Amino acid sequence: MNSHLAPDPRRDCQEIVRHLATLVFPWDTTRSLELALFRTFASARIGGLLHATGEFEKRTGKRYDDTDLIISEIIENGFDSPRGASAIARMNALHGRFRIANEDFLYVLSTFVFEPIRWNRRFGWRRMTEFEQQAWFWFWRNLGERMSIRDLPDHLGDFERASRAYEAANFGFSSANQQVALATRELFAGWFPGVFRPLVRSSIHALLDPPLLSAFGLQPAPRWLVWTAEHALRLRARVLRWLPRRRRPKLRTQIPRADYPQGYRIESLGPPPPG
């Protein structure tokens, strides 16, 4: 940030978001953006498109890694950097293969704004300040402009109301939604030893709200597990408040990936062009 000027959430949003996502809330940001993925699956159009590509069911891990890497390149380097600009160009090229409604783009963008804010309100070691929430909003709004998304709101509250209205109009069960959600759930469960996977599956259900469970045709988790999952996350938050603050950023672009043992090139992320 410019040391001669007071911090501004709009002007300095790239630096603020990088700080929040890599130093202040790295684990929470990742978990909340995973929940954001589930919210997008609940839309019949979005879930249907993702199912039609076959990527989530056939190459779930790679699809997750590619999305994670593109978003992380933008967060870690900023959208005005060469790597950030390349990641945005790659994302736009991948989206350009499909006919995607502007309101669907708007909704997906809104989940990246609001799920981290909501997660930290519930489970973070502290909540985002109003200043940080505004910076978070402006970061994603600026990204929306670079994606040529129309009708981007100028205010956080307006965006949240539009996001909720979209959910009320577009959430609903379909087999496509369900299959994409189940494939993603199985990916997350697969990160744990087999004996723990049934509990992991149920714990994911415990974190999904009733509209999402209904859209995926999933049974709610038992009340005891909902209570346990929420209290475990809140206990984690209380412990973190007493621990020393992180000094080195957690960079997701530096995490080893099974799909990219030799590293990756931004322009190769995502599925290959259709044959």
Side-chain angles (χ1 to χ4, degrees):
M1 286 179 231
N2 192 320
S3 59
H4 301 293
L5 298 173
D8 179 86
R10 185 172 184 175
R11 183 192 64 230
D12 302 319
C13 65
Q14 296 182 75
E15 294 175 65
I16 295 166
V17 164
R18 182 187 307 115
H19 179 74
L20 291 174
T22 66
L23 273 171
V24 184
F25 305 117
W27 189 87
D28 299 278
T29 298
T30 300
R31 301 290 83 79
S32 64
L33 293 182
E34 289 167 354
L35 277 186
L37 283 178
F38 278 106
R39 297 207 81 79
T40 65
F41 303 159
S43 164
R45 283 199 304 266
I46 298 171
L49 174 61
L50 294 172
H51 173 64
T53 68
E55 287 296 309
F56 270 90
E57 288 94 332
K58 296 175 184 176
R59 290 176 285 274
T60 314
K62 185 176 185 302
R63 182 68 172 77
Y64 175 90
D65 281 344
D66 289 347
T67 301
D68 186 17
L69 287 168
I70 287 173
I71 295 300
S72 297
E73 286 283 356
I74 299 168
I75 288 175
E76 293 174 15
N77 299 298
F79 31 67
D80 294 327
S81 69
R83 292 193 68 85
S86 294
I88 295 171
R90 182 58 179 164
M91 179 172 58
N92 288 339
L94 293 170
H95 289 158
R97 299 177 185 176
F98 308 99
R99 295 183 63 182
I100 303 174
N102 188 71
E103 65 175 336
D104 293 341
F105 271 127
L106 272 172
Y107 177 66
V108 172
L109 190 71
S110 78
T111 67
F112 282 76
V113 174
F114 295 110
E115 285 309 301
I117 292 172
R118 293 169 186 154
W119 176 280
N120 283 337
R121 188 180 299 146
R122 295 176 66 195
F123 304 128
W125 64 270
R126 69 167 175 82
R127 297 185 176 195
M128 283 191 193
T129 66
E130 179 63 29
F131 178 87
E132 289 168 342
Q133 291 181 42
Q134 290 294 326
W136 196 265
F137 162 70
W138 281 109
F139 178 89
W140 296 105
R141 191 193 183 286
N142 287 337
L143 179 58
E145 289 182 348
R146 288 161 173 81
M147 296 171 65
S148 299
I149 300 176
R150 304 184 305 279
D151 304 321
L152 290 159
D154 290 325
H155 302 284
L156 188 66
D158 291 341
F159 205 9
E160 185 166 26
R161 283 186 288 274
S163 180
R164 290 303 193 193
Y166 177 97
E167 292 181 355
N170 293 279
F171 274 19
F173 174 78
S174 76
S175 60
N177 296 357
Q178 184 183 66
Q179 291 180 59
V180 173
L182 290 177
T184 305
R185 187 194 68 179
E186 291 308 298
L187 170 69
F188 297 156
W191 295 344
F192 297 84
V195 67
F196 295 117
R197 289 176 190 174
L199 180 61
V200 173
R201 294 184 187 104
S202 295
S203 298
I204 291 172
H205 292 202
L207 295 175
L208 302 179
D209 59 31
L212 292 184
L213 292 170
S214 178
F216 304 144
L218 300 178
Q219 292 297 315
R223 290 185 179 180
W224 69 265
L225 183 56
V226 174
W227 185 93
T228 301
E230 291 181 349
H231 280 72
L233 288 167
R234 290 180 181 131
L235 175 61
R236 170 188 172 272
R238 287 195 292 272
V239 170
L240 284 179
R241 291 186 194 118
W242 291 96
L243 295 180
R245 299 281 77 85
R246 176 182 289 275
R247 294 181 178 274
R248 297 180 61 184
K250 177 74 171 180
L251 302 180
R252 294 195 61 79
T253 56
Q254 303 303 310
I255 297 174
R257 312 270 176 164
D259 287 303
Y260 299 106
Q262 306 301 321
Y264 64 92
R265 294 183 299 116
I266 293 173
E267 58 270 24
S268 297
L269 295 174

